[in-house]
Amino acid sequence: MLMPEDIKQVHSQIERQLSAKGTRFEHICARIVTHTGRPRYVDISGCVVHSLEEGDLLYCLMLETGNRASDYQIDKDIREYVIENIDTALSRGWIHLYYQPVVRTLTGDLCGFEVLSRWIDPKIGFLSPGMFIPALEQTRQIHKLDTYILKETCRTIRSRMDKGLPTVPVSFNLSRVDFMLLDVFDMIESTMAAFNLPRDLLHIEITESIVAEDPGHIRATMDRLRDEGYEVWIDDFGSGYSSLNLLKDVNCDLIKLDMGFLRTFTEKSRQIIASTISMAKKLGIKTLMEGVETSEQIDFLASIGCGRLQGYFFGKPQPLEGAFAHMKAAGAGIETRLWHHYYDMAASAIHETDEPLTLLEFAGGKFHFLYTNAGYREQVKSIHYTVRDIEASFNDNVNAPLYRDIRSLVHATEESGRRETYFCTIANNYIRTVMHVVAHTDGHTLFCMSSWNITQDSSHMENQKFDDNLRYLYMMFDSIYIVDFDADTVNQIREKSAFNLLEQGCENGIRKMTEAYGRALVYEDDLEAYQRYVAPETILQRLHDSPDGILNCCLRLKDRHGSYNWMGCSILLIPEAGSRKVAYTARSFDDRADNIAFMVQSMVKSDAAQKGMHLSLAPGQLNDAYKAMLWDSQQRNSEFCYFWKDTKRRFLGVSHSFLRYYGFDSAQDVLGRTDEDMGWHVDDGPYRDAELEVLQKGRVIQNQPGQCIIRGVLHHITCYKWPLYNQGRIVGLMGVFFDADKMRKRIRDISETSYDDPVTGLMNARGWADAMFSYDEQRTLQKRQYSVLLIENASYDSVVSAYGMDIARQLLQREADAIRKMAGRRATIARTGQATFALLTYDKDEDEARKRASDVLRALNSIHEIAGNPVTLVFRYAIAHSREKGVSTENIYHIAQDRLHQQQKTERRQKRRRRN
């Protein structure tokens, strides 16, 4: 408590500063008294904060300034007091939680807090962590404090969420002793579950020294926490002697660089910080800098892409209401869960480089530069523009060329999902731009972009004549490469496909470039012709021998969509640019008859030559090679599903469409197996009997209907089968089937009668009801028992609230895929509610059904992120089995549903008990 003679003076100074500054006061010196009567000196700062519960509150922060004459005795007294009174302090609320803000470097918004503890004692006053944490660690009582901090932090977050107040992730620290005395994973997981909090709202900090000293148990716990969706941070990174080894051996999500790097902010320390952040990015680890105190430090850390910042520049640790109020007063926004991944990806794209680099955001039809480095600003300056001018031009539809160009590039980049290169002219300057998508959230797309003014480079533009030639080439061709045989370099001027020299790393080296181009774009059957055409060792001589200085060739090249198209390729000498500089070009054929004829002729000749065929046949004639080619084409490209079997009904082969239909990667998944082995028919009997008729009696089966489980969905198929003869003996059978449901969809307008769920591709409730009757029919006729398994995502609404419907739909699709993978070949699956899946499976009893449910839930619980956004999912399930007494087709689903609702009520009661 304050010494009596100081109380009046402190009150007077607070009132005076509040009158002058509004809501803040700082650096008021005073004395407090310990329980032994010794004075201690403190510096008092604080502010007025409005609380919804209490109205205006005065929050104070006291920092000890020292009483050096009796330090030792005071420390000894406090140590003994802390050891004896920790349990009392926790039970009576003397331990207060203080929160220090963590700020997003790119935006300046609040993106998290670190929770810290302060002991405010009624007898001895304010204790900072350094005055009680060492004593608790030495006496192995620190786990009591850490457990308390975790529970109270979760309680506070839950309270704010229930009231609709803003929340951000909170990081809290673990001690070495915690790992010795507790099951740390269970402590965290049970507490988070009790308050029903998403795991991404809690980050676990472990100091570098703790991890370095115990490579076994602690690291295993870290991995387990990460596997379940928690972020694990390494605190005080760089403070020890084994930081680099630690990154090699330990898995973590973020490193907090030790504030010691900033204490001496020299060029050497800058280089160390930049190198550490660059290395972390390459390893996929996020970064945070502690101890930030100046604008100079912030500018430097922003330039090298440090993702987050923490330090007194942004705020001291203080109670949560005061911390939020402080950030609001400073003009900082609050980053919601929706944007965490977006800005993490943005930070990961920034790195220290001399090359031009910028982050360009596109939202609501407008472009905005989120970040530009010095190299990009220098390139912009070279064409007598500013970054603001470029941004205005991107958004000015009056300046149509640049407005259209940037939108064309953005569209191509989004569509391909790859790095795209584009060339344009601005103020008579050639600009090469390379762009790729970094992140996409809620209608905002972020691009990483680099642009070069290549007009300034004499290696690209030697004189006006060369400039005129390049403009001509740019107008004529889809692909243009300038190849300099003297420098052994290749410059990509224009390329409409997905090929990019920068990604291939072959701008230096002509042979390296031509080989990479061939691998990436040239159709396999044309590779030999391509290699002869572009052979670097003979190309100059062939060009000089050519009457017009041009070499032409027709090749099939891959476009950005993955399709191969015939292209006219030309290699030509560039006049006035020196005899050893040439242009490699390619352009699409138009639809003129002579070009079409040329393409057909080239295609036929190339294909025939490759396969050694002679295709000049009279009408009605087919030789063996031609028959083989026709069958190969049929089984590769037909959408009908062909298969052939031996006399024991085992698969010998299947067509490509068969594999696609069932979702197999290879024919090896089915070869040597029967339909019964695969388990994909609702009723095996009719198919088995029909195939025996084919094999034993030579019967041809036509138009046989059936039901088949395809990746969890019950499909109606129509099948044809016939015998295979060799020298008059049946040696197997061949068959083909098509999906009757798909065929019907093509000939009628699909409306409300559809059985498909449009989000997941599974059946909907209507289709589920139809499938139920088929299963019950098998129960009646064949005595096959079945079960209904209902699985509900109890976290669905929270995902919608945090990330919106687009991410929620992706979550449903991911869940459907997981269920298909675990149960799809032997189960009929439907989405029967907003976040409820239903499975029909043939199970002999409830134990078999529960084992299947356990497998499916294990797959679902492994989902911890959707499109990079962290999710914490809680599933509940219920089973009803046809063998149970009183169960019928009419009520089996409702019985399972009632059990699901009862489980929900039980969970609510358990959570209420755990929170208390």
Side-chain angles (χ1 to χ4, degrees):
M1 60 172 58
L2 288 173
M3 292 188 68
E5 55 267 37
D6 288 353
I7 292 175
K8 186 175 180 180
Q9 174 231 344
V10 169
H11 285 179
S12 174
Q13 289 192 46
I14 290 175
E15 290 175 358
R16 188 182 311 115
Q17 289 197 32
L18 288 177
S19 298
K21 300 181 180 179
T23 61
R24 305 189 63 79
F25 58 91
E26 55 189 357
H27 304 311
I28 297 173
C29 296
R31 294 169 295 173
I32 59 173
V33 183
T34 69
H35 73 291
T36 61
R38 292 187 176 89
R40 305 181 70 181
Y41 297 88
V42 295
D43 179 278
I44 305 174
S45 300
C47 65
V48 177
V49 175
H50 182 75
S51 166
L52 295 177
E53 295 86 358
E54 306 293 339
D56 287 341
L57 298 175
L58 196 64
Y59 278 101
C60 297
L61 175 66
M62 291 191 293
L63 297 176
E64 184 182 0
T65 58
N67 179 10
R68 300 291 173 241
S70 54
D71 266 353
Y72 173 78
Q73 189 61 42
I74 290 176
D75 287 346
K76 183 178 179 181
D77 290 343
I78 290 174
R79 173 185 167 81
E80 293 173 356
Y81 184 82
V82 165
I83 294 170
E84 294 171 1
N85 289 276
I86 179 61
D87 293 326
T88 303
L90 294 173
S91 63
R92 296 186 180 180
W94 299 349
I95 302 297
H96 295 253
L97 303 190
Y98 277 42
Y99 297 82
Q100 186 171 29
V102 175
V103 168
R104 179 72 65 184
T105 312
L106 274 172
T107 63
D109 289 342
L110 176 70
C111 66
F113 284 115
E114 180 181 5
V115 62
L116 304 164
S117 58
R118 300 291 186 265
W119 187 323
I120 304 179
D121 196 281
K123 295 181 180 179
I124 61 173
F126 181 89
L127 298 179
S128 64
M131 301 166 72
F132 59 89
I133 286 180
L136 295 177
E137 287 185 328
Q138 292 161 12
T139 57
R140 295 200 168 195
Q141 297 188 81
I142 190 67
H143 67 286
K144 299 177 182 178
L145 175 65
D146 290 342
T147 303
Y148 175 85
I149 291 173
L150 174 62
K151 188 170 184 179
E152 292 307 306
T153 298
C154 291
R155 191 191 308 279
T156 300
I157 296 174
R158 180 75 264 168
S159 175
R160 290 186 66 86
M161 291 178 70
D162 291 343
K163 294 174 183 176
L165 298 174
T167 58
V168 292
V170 176
S171 64
F172 94 111
N173 296 271
L174 287 173
S175 164
R176 179 186 294 101
V177 178
D178 293 332
F179 290 92
M180 296 177 181
L181 302 180
L182 299 171
D183 183 335
V184 168
F185 176 83
D186 183 66
M187 172 190 74
I188 294 172
E189 184 74 347
S190 61
T191 306
M192 293 290 284
F195 290 95
N196 193 26
L197 293 178
R199 295 185 181 97
D200 57 287
L201 287 182
L202 183 75
H203 303 326
I204 293 94
E205 293 194 29
I206 305 173
T207 62
E208 179 186 70
S209 59
I210 293 176
V211 182
E213 292 172 13
D214 186 351
H217 172 59
I218 293 177
R219 296 186 189 186
T221 303
M222 291 169 61
D223 289 340
R224 191 177 176 195
L225 286 165
R226 295 184 73 248
D227 288 343
E228 289 302 314
Y230 293 98
E231 282 198 11
V232 176
W233 296 5
I234 300 297
D235 193 14
D236 297 336
F237 185 83
S239 61
Y241 297 98
S242 56
S243 300
L244 295 181
N245 277 331
L246 203 64
L247 282 187
K248 175 175 67 73
D249 299 330
V250 174
N251 299 315
C252 66
D253 298 283
L254 179 145
I255 55 172
K256 293 183 71 173
L257 277 74
D258 184 68
M259 63 181 68
F261 285 117
L262 295 181
R263 290 199 184 103
T264 55
F265 197 47
T266 62
E267 182 59 30
K268 183 180 290 187
S269 67
R270 289 173 189 243
Q271 289 298 322
I272 294 172
I273 294 170
S275 298
T276 303
I277 289 176
S278 175
M279 178 175 58
K281 286 175 182 287
K282 291 176 181 178
L283 295 173
I285 299 172
K286 293 174 279 193
T287 54
L288 186 158
M289 188 76 224
E290 295 184 283
V292 178
E293 295 183 349
T294 69
S295 298
E296 180 189 10
Q297 293 170 351
I298 294 171
D299 291 342
F300 167 71
L301 293 166
S303 71
I304 61 174
C306 183
R308 310 177 200 194
L309 307 174
Q310 181 180 350
Y312 274 26
F313 185 92
F314 305 104
K316 302 174 182 178
Q318 55 185 306
L320 191 60
E321 291 281 358
F324 271 112
H326 169 78
M327 295 305 294
K328 182 179 179 180
I334 298 175
E335 183 179 293
T336 63
R337 289 177 70 201
L338 177 65
W339 296 100
H340 294 334
H341 176 66
Y342 183 84
Y343 287 116
D344 281 340
M345 293 300 294
S348 70
I350 301 172
H351 56 277
E352 188 179 34
T353 177
D354 294 330
E355 293 189 351
L357 179 70
T358 181
L359 294 182
L360 183 65
E361 188 174 55
F362 185 59
K366 296 290 185 180
F367 289 97
H368 165 65
F369 283 104
L370 187 64
Y371 166 87
T372 59
N373 73 351
Y376 185 82
R377 294 190 294 271
E378 193 64 32
Q379 290 291 317
V380 170
K381 185 179 178 182
S382 73
I383 59 173
H384 309 293
Y385 274 65
T386 65
V387 171
R388 183 174 296 181
D389 293 334
I390 295 293
E391 184 176 300
S393 298
F394 286 169
N395 294 313
D396 179 12
N397 58 9
V398 176
N399 179 17
L402 196 54
Y403 179 89
R404 288 195 305 268
D405 286 347
I406 189 64
R407 279 159 176 77
S408 174
L409 178 56
V410 162
H411 176 73
T413 305
E414 285 189 293
E415 188 179 58
S416 71
R418 296 185 290 263
R419 190 184 303 271
E420 295 291 341
T421 301
Y422 189 80
F423 288 80
C424 66
T425 57
I426 301 177
N428 293 319
N429 292 276
Y430 283 106
I431 307 298
R432 182 177 71 167
T433 297
V434 179
M435 174 186 286
H436 68 274
V437 176
V438 173
H440 180 85
T441 295
D442 196 31
H444 292 242
T445 304
L446 189 65
F447 300 90
C448 182
M449 186 172 80
S450 296
S451 297
W452 292 265
N453 179 5
I454 62 175
T455 307
Q456 287 191 322
D457 189 345
S458 60
S459 69
H460 293 87
M461 296 293 170
E462 292 186 8
N463 51 46
Q464 187 60 42
K465 182 66 176 176
F466 185 32
D467 179 68
D468 292 340
N469 286 323
L470 193 54
R471 291 178 190 270
Y472 165 77
L473 294 174
Y474 188 81
M475 296 284 291
M476 290 291 296
F477 295 100
D478 298 320
S479 300
I480 307 170
Y481 294 83
I482 303 301
V483 179
D484 188 334
F485 280 86
D486 288 327
D488 193 26
T489 59
V490 182
N491 182 40
Q492 184 175 6
I493 300 299
R494 192 179 195 197
E495 179 58 75
K496 284 192 173 182
S497 76
F499 184 78
N500 188 285
L501 275 179
L502 292 177
E503 288 183 344
Q504 299 291 334
C506 51
E507 284 189 304
N508 295 318
I510 297 169
R511 182 174 293 280
K512 187 177 179 182
M513 173 268 177
T514 55
E515 289 175 353
Y517 190 91
R519 288 193 303 270
L521 297 184
V522 179
Y523 187 61
E524 184 178 359
D525 291 350
D526 296 347
L527 264 176
E528 187 176 341
Y530 165 78
Q531 289 164 356
R532 289 195 302 268
Y533 174 62
V534 299
E537 60 273 11
T538 64
I539 199 165
L540 288 175
Q541 186 60 50
R542 284 185 284 134
L543 280 168
H544 286 297
D545 293 343
S546 172
D548 53 3
I550 299 176
L551 300 176
N552 293 314
C553 184
C554 183
L555 298 168
R556 284 168 285 189
L557 303 179
K558 186 189 292 185
D559 64 20
R560 67 175 63 255
H561 305 292
S563 300
Y564 287 94
N565 303 294
W566 284 101
M567 303 281 285
C569 303
S570 300
I571 302 176
L572 57 155
L573 287 167
I574 300 178
E576 308 298 330
S579 62
R580 293 179 59 81
K581 185 170 289 189
V582 302
Y584 286 29
T585 67
R587 66 184 177 92
S588 303
F589 284 109
D590 57 32
D591 59 357
R592 290 179 303 169
D594 57 338
N595 281 334
I596 294 175
F598 177 76
M599 282 192 290
V600 172
Q601 184 182 19
S602 299
M603 181 172 63
V604 171
K605 288 181 178 178
S606 174
D607 199 48
Q610 275 287 325
K611 298 176 179 175
M613 296 180 183
H614 300 285
L615 301 182
S616 300
L617 300 174
Q621 290 182 333
L622 291 176
N623 59 27
D624 290 341
Y626 210 113
K627 291 175 183 177
M629 184 186 74
L630 290 176
W631 167 241
D632 181 68
S633 177
Q634 172 79 353
Q635 65 95 15
R636 283 179 177 273
N637 300 309
S638 173
E639 64 180 271
F640 293 117
C641 300
Y642 288 91
F643 57 92
W644 46 103
K645 300 183 176 184
D646 63 15
T647 54
K648 294 184 179 180
R649 302 178 48 249
R650 297 174 299 198
F651 284 98
L652 294 176
V654 296
S655 66
H656 286 215
S657 57
F658 186 104
L659 296 176
R660 290 194 299 269
Y661 189 74
Y662 281 101
F664 294 122
D665 295 325
S666 166
Q668 296 301 320
D669 293 325
V670 297
L671 297 186
R673 301 183 184 183
T674 65
D675 287 326
E676 294 82 57
D677 294 332
M678 301 308 298
W680 48 32
H681 293 313
V682 174
D683 184 4
D684 293 318
Y687 282 94
R688 180 182 60 248
D689 295 343
E691 290 184 356
L692 290 174
E693 288 280 307
V694 174
L695 293 168
Q696 295 172 5
K697 300 179 181 180
R699 183 181 169 191
V700 175
I701 304 297
Q702 296 186 7
N703 203 32
Q704 182 186 17
Q707 293 175 319
C708 196
I709 300 171
I710 311 298
R711 284 176 277 187
V713 178
L714 190 67
H715 284 244
H716 297 84
I717 64 174
T718 299
C719 192
Y720 298 78
K721 300 174 185 177
W722 56 91
L724 293 175
Y725 290 95
N726 184 21
Q727 297 181 352
R729 296 180 57 191
I730 296 176
V731 294
L733 67 84
M734 189 169 186
V736 62
F737 70 85
F738 61 85
D739 190 308
D741 295 328
K742 289 184 178 179
M743 293 296 286
R744 282 195 292 269
K745 289 174 186 177
R746 291 177 182 177
I747 61 176
R748 77 170 189 265
D749 182 27
I750 300 174
S751 58
E752 296 177 356
T753 60
S754 173
Y755 283 0
D756 295 340
D757 172 41
V759 176
T760 63
L762 298 172
M763 291 188 300
N764 57 19
R766 190 189 298 268
W768 167 266
D770 182 64
M772 283 278 293
F773 286 107
S774 298
Y775 273 74
D776 197 64
E777 186 178 65
Q778 285 295 302
R779 176 195 179 194
T780 303
L781 298 177
Q782 304 293 334
K783 307 301 182 185
R784 299 183 74 180
Q785 301 299 326
Y786 68 93
S787 61
V788 170
L789 168 62
L790 297 186
I791 301 175
E792 182 181 57
N793 181 352
S795 311
Y796 179 78
D797 288 341
S798 66
V799 172
V800 174
S801 175
Y803 301 123
M805 284 304 303
D806 183 51
I807 295 297
R809 280 191 290 270
Q810 292 183 53
L811 171 60
L812 291 172
Q813 292 161 3
R814 181 88 167 271
E815 290 171 357
D817 290 342
I819 296 172
R820 280 194 191 100
K821 185 175 181 180
M822 293 305 302
R825 293 180 187 172
R826 295 181 179 270
T828 299
I829 312 167
R831 177 175 168 238
T832 57
Q834 187 177 52
T836 303
F837 295 90
L839 286 78
L840 273 171
T841 56
Y842 286 122
D843 297 311
K844 63 183 179 182
D845 53 34
E846 291 178 73
D847 288 341
E848 189 174 345
R850 274 192 287 271
K851 183 180 183 305
R852 192 184 306 279
S854 176
D855 292 340
V856 172
L857 286 170
R858 185 165 55 252
L860 291 172
N861 283 320
S862 68
I863 300 173
H864 297 303
E865 60 84 24
I866 300 295
N869 298 286
V871 291
T872 299
L873 305 180
V874 177
F875 294 93
R876 58 177 70 99
Y877 77 97
I879 297 172
H881 196 273
S882 61
R883 195 188 292 275
E884 294 183 63
K885 187 177 179 179
V887 169
S888 66
T889 305
E890 290 75 18
N891 67 13
I892 189 170
Y893 181 82
H894 296 294
I895 289 172
Q897 202 170 41
D898 290 342
R899 290 171 180 172
L900 201 64
H901 293 161
Q902 186 60 42
Q903 188 182 53
Q904 184 180 15
K905 293 178 182 177
T906 302
E907 289 172 0
R908 287 174 179 170
R909 289 195 297 269
Q910 290 173 345
K911 284 180 180 178
R912 282 196 294 268
R913 284 198 298 269
R914 284 200 299 265
R915 291 183 190 183
N916 297 327

